[in-house]
Amino acid sequence: MALFDLPLEQLRTYRPERDEPADFADFWTRTLEEARGFDLAPEFTRYDLPFASVDVYDVSFAGWGGHRISGWFITPRDAEGPIPCVMHYIGYSGGRGFPHDHLMWPAAGYAVLVMETRGHGGASVGHPGATGDPHGATHPHAPGMMTKGILDPEEYYYRRVFTDAVRAVEVAATHPAVDENRIIVSGGSQGGGIAQATAALCPSVAGALIDVPFLTHFRRAVEITDRDPYQEIVRFLATRRGDEEQVFRTLAYFDGLHFAARGQVPVLYSVALMDDVCPPSTVFAAYNHWQGPKEITVWPWNGHEGGQGFQREEQLRYVHKLLSDA
Amino acid sequence: MALFDLPLEQLRTYRPERDEPADFADFWTRTLEEARGFDLAPEFTRYDLPFASVDVYDVSFAGWGGHRISGWFITPRDAEGPIPCVMHYIGYSGGRGFPHDHLMWPAAGYAVLVMETRGHGGASVGHPGATGDPHGATHPHAPGMMTKGILDPEEYYYRRVFTDAVRAVEVAATHPAVDENRIIVSGGSQGGGIAQATAALCPSVAGALIDVPFLTHFRRAVEITDRDPYQEIVRFLATRRGDEEQVFRTLAYFDGLHFAARGQVPVLYSVALMDDVCPPSTVFAAYNHWQGPKEITVWPWNGHEGGQGFQREEQLRYVHKLLSDA
Amino acid sequence: MALFDLPLEQLRTYRPERDEPADFADFWTRTLEEARGFDLAPEFTRYDLPFASVDVYDVSFAGWGGHRISGWFITPRDAEGPIPCVMHYIGYSGGRGFPHDHLMWPAAGYAVLVMETRGHGGASVGHPGATGDPHGATHPHAPGMMTKGILDPEEYYYRRVFTDAVRAVEVAATHPAVDENRIIVSGGSQGGGIAQATAALCPSVAGALIDVPFLTHFRRAVEITDRDPYQEIVRFLATRRGDEEQVFRTLAYFDGLHFAARGQVPVLYSVALMDDVCPPSTVFAAYNHWQGPKEITVWPWNGHEGGQGFQREEQLRYVHKLLSDA
Amino acid sequence: MALFDLPLEQLRTYRPERDEPADFADFWTRTLEEARGFDLAPEFTRYDLPFASVDVYDVSFAGWGGHRISGWFITPRDAEGPIPCVMHYIGYSGGRGFPHDHLMWPAAGYAVLVMETRGHGGASVGHPGATGDPHGATHPHAPGMMTKGILDPEEYYYRRVFTDAVRAVEVAATHPAVDENRIIVSGGSQGGGIAQATAALCPSVAGALIDVPFLTHFRRAVEITDRDPYQEIVRFLATRRGDEEQVFRTLAYFDGLHFAARGQVPVLYSVALMDDVCPPSTVFAAYNHWQGPKEITVWPWNGHEGGQGFQREEQLRYVHKLLSDA
Amino acid sequence: MALFDLPLEQLRTYRPERDEPADFADFWTRTLEEARGFDLAPEFTRYDLPFASVDVYDVSFAGWGGHRISGWFITPRDAEGPIPCVMHYIGYSGGRGFPHDHLMWPAAGYAVLVMETRGHGGASVGHPGATGDPHGATHPHAPGMMTKGILDPEEYYYRRVFTDAVRAVEVAATHPAVDENRIIVSGGSQGGGIAQATAALCPSVAGALIDVPFLTHFRRAVEITDRDPYQEIVRFLATRRGDEEQVFRTLAYFDGLHFAARGQVPVLYSVALMDDVCPPSTVFAAYNHWQGPKEITVWPWNGHEGGQGFQREEQLRYVHKLLSDA
Amino acid sequence: MALFDLPLEQLRTYRPERDEPADFADFWTRTLEEARGFDLAPEFTRYDLPFASVDVYDVSFAGWGGHRISGWFITPRDAEGPIPCVMHYIGYSGGRGFPHDHLMWPAAGYAVLVMETRGHGGASVGHPGATGDPHGATHPHAPGMMTKGILDPEEYYYRRVFTDAVRAVEVAATHPAVDENRIIVSGGSQGGGIAQATAALCPSVAGALIDVPFLTHFRRAVEITDRDPYQEIVRFLATRRGDEEQVFRTLAYFDGLHFAARGQVPVLYSVALMDDVCPPSTVFAAYNHWQGPKEITVWPWNGHEGGQGFQREEQLRYVHKLLSDA
């Protein structure tokens, strides 16, 4: 990739106006209240593998609409006393994969809870998923999830997902092995967008790790990138010509800009300057709005893969320091 | 394209064994009975365009689960007495498009009813759709519709679609302008697969026009073509390794081979020898099982586009003769 | 697609200088006079299909050089008195296709005359053509038609095509079913460029429908798009290094900017903001020069497909109102 | 490339039946007689470059229909007495390029005459051409030359080209520097097909060098390769559905199989086993029919590029020996 | 992917003749003896990360030619007594990545030693490497490693790599935490090929895990796949025409068929039927020659990604059982 | 291609700041001195082909590290007295090809020495090479040569290549047929970058011909082009995150900007405005820094192929005039 977005020095101060719906907060308060009307009903089923130092559970709980959401919950064996827990949200199209994909945090002494994104993971070879989205859509949508229910904020797919994500934090918090005051939300790309929203909707979390977040600054994103998944929205708009206003009205309730502007907890972002999937200006737009203590790692020569293992090690050190200092 | 499937002389006699579930007929009888438990409730809303020789209606009715299914219903203006009606089913991903896309049959003096395929048409630039699929899936699926609910015949997406298709014939039959004894089902690719199934499930129709049908001879199709949508199934199997048996068990209730083997009405098929989306051997496999009077047009140099306008004119003449002779 | 051309607010006023050859008008006057030296000799041969509400004719006439140009002529059956006629010009590479592709205007009570673009339609699967271009070129050209004869305005391919187009209007005007004062020219892409030129060369037409016109503002087009057919010119220039000046001298006689600047009749344009085949700035450049009453429909999320069926319905309503008001 | 055609041991004996038109010989006799009705009128214009050991001429002559055909004629400076001359025909889409592209034969003491293929060379960056094809086509054709005039052997593009090629040999023969008994025809791909035809139509030539010949065994070629230019024929057939019989009737007058079967002079072929443009079975089909003394170089790991410089050196040695022995 | 290789029932018994050089065993005996002339000189440097349950070391040792080879060595913290160790070899182009990529075996109570493939890992975004190949080549080679030194078995790149791999087993064996009788070699693709060779060259290992092995049955591989890295060899042969015999002579010393035929230890293979990088027939060719106790997992719907996490879990259980039973 | 770099009028004056290492001159002085520690030891072996007007030699000599570097040396036969010699350096990935590829300069009365670029030519079908790079790299690198040894200027691949290039001039100078005062260095792309460096390092050459030079203005190049080979550097940086500073420190010793700024001899550059491999701004950046008499040919419609044969003829005339005037 060549550089295609703003130069770094402009990105550092790029902080676009936000156009937040008047009832944004109400919308989410009401949404979460409704979800809490369902019993959380977490289930932890031991998953049998010849592991010696960790315990693996197939976890499920009642997410939005009471639908069962699956994931992994992995703890260091013989952990004493409540330990920190890292919530991990998954990138677009992926399922939870396998327990051995998620051993970094347990090796460091933390629990990890990996939440599946409902409906994803059916064609993510290598990262199979197990959670469906039992809620259909009353209008057709583009293949993929970006436009499922997009004509109505109440019906939009990510309303269910963000709600699931908040409920997953509650699942972690209620587990006896977990210290509810030391829960960190994390994820990259779609997972970064979910973590960003969750950090705003769950102000009790202890911190956030947000890599190349998706679902952020939709207006700019759909105009400057040719790549999926943002282009799913463009194809929908190209097809259903009269729906533009309604589409952006819906997206305004889900735009990472508004969640970032509510971010109060310590956060470690990362961004890649050659990322044409989640363009750097959309990431800095959110980062520059974040209210709490914040750091950002810039990967100048990378695309959407971002910091990868390098960033994972930075996160390990960041969290270690954050929780040690606390 | 080069030729890649069997040579034509072998295709002419290719008639593979069928492996039909014992309760195939029961499954469909029960499915249609359930659907008929909902009031059909057809609605015809005049669609306002400055047309002089046709009347256009936005039609909707209760399909599977009572969900509203949309389409176009177009009649020649001033048609006298009940006239024949062509049911048209749509290819994969497309919506119903526009009334002016469907003027051929009305110009010939027939009504046409274009049924939308639920959920499609959200990203088919130029052929927008209006019908959602309000039924979600309890397991993740590959983007697209091929694997939605594929782990259970009761839940599989095409159970709903084929049911909608039968109900659409009933809608046509109940309309006062339509002669219920002269309804023809038609479609290409996915639409051809739907027409093929409907001709078997609605033995009262007067004939069928089936072009390059999809959803037929799944076992062979997924092994010899690299192309979507059949590859949606392969990606799902590649992801969810243990599900192969269940996937093919489900597909057996929807395989065009079994519907074709029940086909009693006059039929005009078409097939293209360079078609790598719906390979010619899968089409001949069905055609060679068809029981009723049959003809097939072979397009030796074409891919999945098949006979296009040439075939439309053949159909026009075929139907004209079929209904004149009757 | 991402947005790649000027922002909409700049497009609204983008009106580049024109560099018109001094003898532009003379060139065309002379060209048309020469063509009229051949007897128009229109022939209407009834095309046999079991249609009930329209009459279809295979039409041909003497175009440039007296060469026979083919097309369809379709009228509503039993139309009374002279009726309006829509001239339809075809996009790049396409042939006339089939009568059932052109039933919209007849359904609205108008005649339609579809003119083939000479030489096109030999590899447009689905839209076969029947008209050759019996005039060869004394220099090699890039595959395709953009550079055929491009070293001399007298020899350039579009000199023949634009002349054919004017003659086609004359064919329509002389038909007894057609009201010569109510002829509308129309087309998209190459067809839009032809309609644009014809509206200037035939000031007697009643209006024009011009979608995403090609053959317009060549200088800018070849510099900002990577796509064919404009790139045919670039490949020619890349090959024949010394011919640049002559190429642009020739193109100046065919540039839509100069035709648009002569446009006096009511016109409905359409443009797509993500169109990288006929970039929006080249369309607005022409539109902003048009002299007569004008409207433009902007499709913000579409590429070269433009407004498609949505635009066809707009055109139906626009023409209906234009001719009703007249 | 993987291997995709017959294995080498089968290729060695692959000699398909030929289906030659009864009047094949008459057709060509008549064609050449007509062409000879035009004065050959060769012109040799010195081309000015600071060369010391060669003389370069821009040559032109009257080809089919008397049309001027251009090329290069290059001789070693100070050559004494009539010297051998290599006729070189060019591959598809290319023009003659530059004199410095053709210095190998002159460096070896031979003259070389490079004939342009009429109409080609307009978009062959690096190999510009200067010869048009002033003969248009009465039917549309696919972009490219393969289907130009393909509905009638009299009108087919290669009738003109093969005639030009024979005339070019006559041009060489009449030049005082050239020994008319030592003219060798040569070329690769399209150029190989032309050399193959010319060797049959000009039995007076002293030998032929034919690399990966195109225009040979059309029936098989269009069925086993996906690549252009053979696919130009497939796209034409895919578009104009009723023309198949006529297309193959025309091609039968131009099929290299029938020319090879008339080949009496010594020939050096080359073939590449991974060539998916001119598949090896089509090359061996011709080679195995050749009547005269013959050798073939097999390049097992190459695609259509074939033997390249290695083959050029083989040719140099082959011709040197052939003419020394003579 | 569609299926493109032999059907499964033929694969089960596909056991091609082997053409082993007479001095194959001598070649490797001599090669390893030479390597052992260098002091192994392993170094284990603690790598600082806030891990709680594992110890991570940056390991290096003297491989072929005494060159330093790097890797990771990770042990469960507080492991008692010598424990089993899994040697892991890496796929083509990859480097060792990060410690957190390799936590599965330590979580199960085993040590893991990840050996870098010299020279790889310079452009494997996400899996950076640190080991160069300080040995140049006296002939040019195709980009990539497949043809580096391919004109001479002594110089061939994989001579160095396989030697490094054997030395790495020796490194593991000498580490006090490791039980030298319970070392398992493992890897996928190139890593599978290396593990396959190492299992033959180090008969003391306790078992092998070989996924979709590369570097096996070269003759067939280069003829039936279009994909890299096997195609690196084809491009080299296509370029250097006279080297074919020498290339295959060299490869014969490195062909997995000959190593597999020496395999005596228990082995778990895996193969994917749609794998067009390491085609299934090349895998079964080796598997069917293996002499020791053997199992193979067949992934029918997967490409070169093979069994992924599913296979990792199978390996975990397989090794657990193998070492428990022992 | 569309235009993507600065407009021509800005390119004309684009002259970026240079950031030259303080010891740049010392580095090269020392490097060349070391190389001269090896006996140049040129060998000229006659290459047998039936040529009449040229003599061809397979030449080799001791380049950097005393490694043997191969090439062609071709002289007009019977040349009298010392004649000028054109040094030709080769583009990325290519080998020296065949003698008949290099006959232009001999035909004009000059000798030509074609130097191979060590390690290239192993997969350049049609341009095979014979020279290896016996110097390995102590760190992994991206496939290709751009990053081989890039972590240390002493080890960097182009240190060896530029040294070879200077030595090759010395080889030419010592040949009795060559006039050492009339040596011209030339090349395109990588060859242009080498010629550019050599002209600075060998101020005794008589002139330089530099086409679309590569290896110039690295900083800008890696940011504005998506294309290889510059992208090899980006992929390396994307993989090895901490190495950016060192990489650019190394490249500073090899950047064409610094060589161009030392250029004193007459030079003919060429540049192509649609060149996305060696973007025009990087070429003008060097050209505008050149100190000696200079001309530049601008190809406005071409990509990286640049001026091709047209430029070769310009060079022929330029050199002829330059050496005639001298």
Side-chain angles (χ1 to χ4, degrees), chain E residues 13-302:
Chain E
T13 59
Y14 179 68
R15 194 165 174 277
E17 288 299 298
R18 296 187 303 109
D19 188 18
E20 188 179 293
D23 63 340
F24 180 90
D26 289 350
F27 174 85
W28 282 108
T29 302
R30 177 168 49 76
T31 294
L32 295 177
E33 275 170 8
E34 284 171 20
R36 287 178 183 129
F38 295 90
D39 182 2
L40 188 58
E43 290 179 22
F44 294 84
T45 308
R46 187 175 286 270
Y47 183 79
D48 186 35
L49 274 178
F51 278 132
S53 68
V54 295
D55 293 312
V56 178
Y57 301 88
D58 187 336
V59 63
S60 75
F61 63 92
W64 187 93
H67 302 143
R68 298 305 293 179
I69 305 298
S70 293
W72 296 121
F73 181 65
I74 310 175
T75 55
R77 189 164 292 173
D78 309 319
E80 295 180 17
I83 57 175
C85 179
V86 176
M87 281 297 318
H88 187 64
Y89 305 110
I90 301 173
Y92 198 83
S93 88
R96 60 177 157 175
F98 297 87
H100 61 255
D101 295 330
H102 306 287
L103 295 174
M104 185 182 80
W105 296 111
Y110 310 137
V112 66
L113 197 159
V114 181
M115 182 191 93
E116 289 209 326
T117 325
R118 51 169 66 211
H120 288 252
S124 178
V125 184
H127 299 91
T131 304
D133 180 21
H135 192 80
T138 57
H139 283 82
H141 56 95
M145 296 299 186
M146 292 306 297
T147 62
K148 196 173 180 185
I150 200 169
L151 297 184
D152 184 349
E154 304 293 323
E155 265 213 39
Y156 190 43
Y157 169 74
Y158 283 103
R159 181 169 178 246
R160 303 194 286 282
V161 171
F162 290 178
T163 302
D164 296 343
V166 170
R167 296 294 270 165
V169 173
E170 295 168 6
V171 168
T174 61
H175 193 280
V178 171
D179 176 354
E180 65 179 318
N181 295 316
R182 290 188 293 164
I183 295 175
I184 305 286
V185 291
S186 74
S189 193
Q190 175 188 262
I194 299 172
Q196 189 173 248
T198 307
L201 296 172
C202 284
S204 66
V205 300
L209 309 170
I210 298 173
D211 298 319
V212 291
F214 181 51
L215 304 168
T216 296
H217 204 358
F218 288 104
R219 267 283 175 192
R220 180 172 174 87
V222 297
E223 289 184 6
I224 71 165
T225 174
D226 280 352
R227 298 282 304 272
D228 276 336
Y230 279 124
Q231 279 286 310
E232 291 181 21
I233 299 171
V234 173
R235 284 194 296 274
F236 184 83
L237 293 170
T239 303
R240 297 187 45 115
R241 314 295 175 99
D243 293 335
E244 175 176 344
E245 191 182 350
Q246 184 51 49
V247 162
F248 284 104
R249 201 181 82 82
T250 294
L251 291 176
Y253 290 89
F254 302 91
D255 194 320
L257 287 187
H258 310 322
F259 293 113
R262 283 170 169 76
Q264 302 291 347
V265 302
V267 67
L268 174 62
Y269 271 83
S270 70
V271 65
L273 298 190
M274 291 175 169
D275 184 350
D276 57 349
V277 174
C278 295
S281 58
T282 65
V283 177
F284 271 103
Y287 176 76
N288 290 333
H289 273 295
W290 191 274
Q291 301 295 316
K294 59 189 175 186
E295 298 177 33
I296 188 164
T297 314
V298 178
W299 299 103
W301 304 100
N302 286 85

Side-chain angles (χ1 to χ4, degrees), chain A residues 1-3 274 299-302 306-308 310, chain F residues 222-226 231 237-239 241 244 248:
Chain A
M1 273 307 292
L3 290 176
M274 290 175 169
W299 299 104
W301 304 100
N302 286 84
Q308 296 176 302
F310 292 92
Chain F
V222 296
E223 289 184 6
I224 71 165
T225 174
D226 279 352
Q231 279 287 310
L237 293 171
T239 302
R241 315 295 174 99
E244 175 176 344
F248 283 104

Side-chain angles (χ1 to χ4, degrees), chain B residues 1-4 274 299-303 305-310, chain D residues 219 222-226 231 234 237-242 244 248:
Chain B
M1 275 305 292
L3 290 177
F4 69 100
M274 291 175 168
W299 299 103
W301 304 100
N302 286 84
E305 73 279 2
Q308 296 176 301
F310 293 92
Chain D
R219 267 282 177 193
V222 296
E223 289 185 6
I224 71 165
T225 174
D226 280 352
Q231 279 287 310
V234 173
L237 293 171
T239 302
R240 298 189 41 120
R241 315 294 174 98
E244 175 176 345
F248 284 104

Side-chain angles (χ1 to χ4, degrees), chain C:
Chain C
M1 275 304 292
L3 290 176
F4 69 100
D5 204 335
L6 302 174
L8 182 55
E9 54 277 17
Q10 292 181 32
L11 290 172
R12 294 283 188 197
T13 59
Y14 179 67
R15 195 165 173 278
E17 288 298 299
R18 296 188 302 110
D19 188 17
E20 186 179 295
D23 64 340
F24 181 88
D26 289 350
F27 174 84
W28 283 107
T29 301
R30 178 169 47 79
T31 294
L32 295 177
E33 276 170 8
E34 283 171 21
R36 289 177 183 130
F38 295 90
D39 182 1
L40 187 57
E43 289 178 22
F44 294 84
T45 307
R46 186 175 288 268
Y47 183 78
D48 186 35
L49 275 178
F51 278 133
S53 68
V54 295
D55 293 313
V56 179
Y57 301 88
D58 188 335
V59 63
S60 75
F61 62 93
W64 186 93
H67 302 142
R68 298 305 292 179
I69 305 299
S70 294
W72 296 121
F73 182 65
I74 311 175
T75 54
R77 189 165 293 174
D78 308 321
E80 296 180 17
I83 57 175
C85 179
V86 175
M87 280 297 318
H88 186 65
Y89 304 112
I90 300 173
Y92 199 81
S93 88
R96 60 176 158 175
F98 297 86
H100 61 256
D101 297 329
H102 306 286
L103 295 175
M104 185 182 79
W105 297 111
Y110 309 138
V112 65
L113 196 161
V114 180
M115 182 192 94
E116 290 210 326
T117 326
R118 50 169 65 210
H120 288 253
S124 178
V125 184
H127 299 92
T131 304
D133 180 20
H135 192 81
T138 58
H139 283 83
H141 56 95
M145 296 299 187
M146 292 306 297
T147 60
K148 196 173 180 185
I150 201 170
L151 296 183
D152 184 348
E154 304 293 324
E155 266 214 37
Y156 190 43
Y157 169 73
Y158 283 104
R159 181 169 179 246
R160 303 194 287 282
V161 172
F162 290 179
T163 302
D164 296 344
V166 170
R167 296 293 271 167
V169 173
E170 295 168 6
V171 168
T174 60
H175 193 280
V178 172
D179 176 354
E180 66 179 318
N181 295 316
R182 289 188 294 165
I183 295 175
I184 305 285
V185 291
S186 74
S189 194
Q190 176 188 263
I194 299 172
Q196 189 173 246
T198 308
L201 295 172
C202 284
S204 66
V205 300
L209 308 170
I210 299 173
D211 297 320
V212 292
F214 182 50
L215 304 169
T216 295
H217 204 357
F218 288 104
R219 267 282 176 194
R220 179 172 175 87
V222 296
E223 289 185 5
I224 70 166
T225 175
D226 280 353
R227 299 281 303 274
D228 275 338
Y230 279 124
Q231 279 287 310
E232 291 181 21
I233 298 172
V234 172
R235 284 195 296 274
F236 184 83
L237 293 171
T239 301
R240 297 189 44 119
R241 314 297 174 99
D243 293 335
E244 175 176 343
E245 191 182 350
Q246 184 52 49
V247 161
F248 284 105
R249 200 181 83 80
T250 294
L251 291 175
Y253 290 88
F254 302 90
D255 194 320
L257 288 187
H258 310 323
F259 293 113
R262 284 171 169 75
Q264 303 291 347
V265 301
V267 68
L268 174 63
Y269 271 84
S270 70
V271 64
L273 298 190
M274 291 173 168
D275 184 350
D276 58 349
V277 174
C278 295
S281 57
T282 64
V283 177
F284 271 104
Y287 177 75
N288 290 332
H289 273 295
W290 190 275
Q291 301 296 317
K294 60 189 175 185
E295 299 177 33
I296 188 164
T297 314
V298 178
W299 298 103
W301 304 100
N302 286 84
H304 191 53
E305 73 279 1
Q308 296 176 302
F310 292 94
Q311 187 69 22
R312 303 296 304 274
E313 295 198 350
E314 278 209 43
Q315 292 175 338
L316 206 51
R317 292 192 184 95
Y318 177 87
V319 170
H320 184 70
K321 183 165 188 311
L322 179 69
L323 299 182
S324 303
D325 292 356

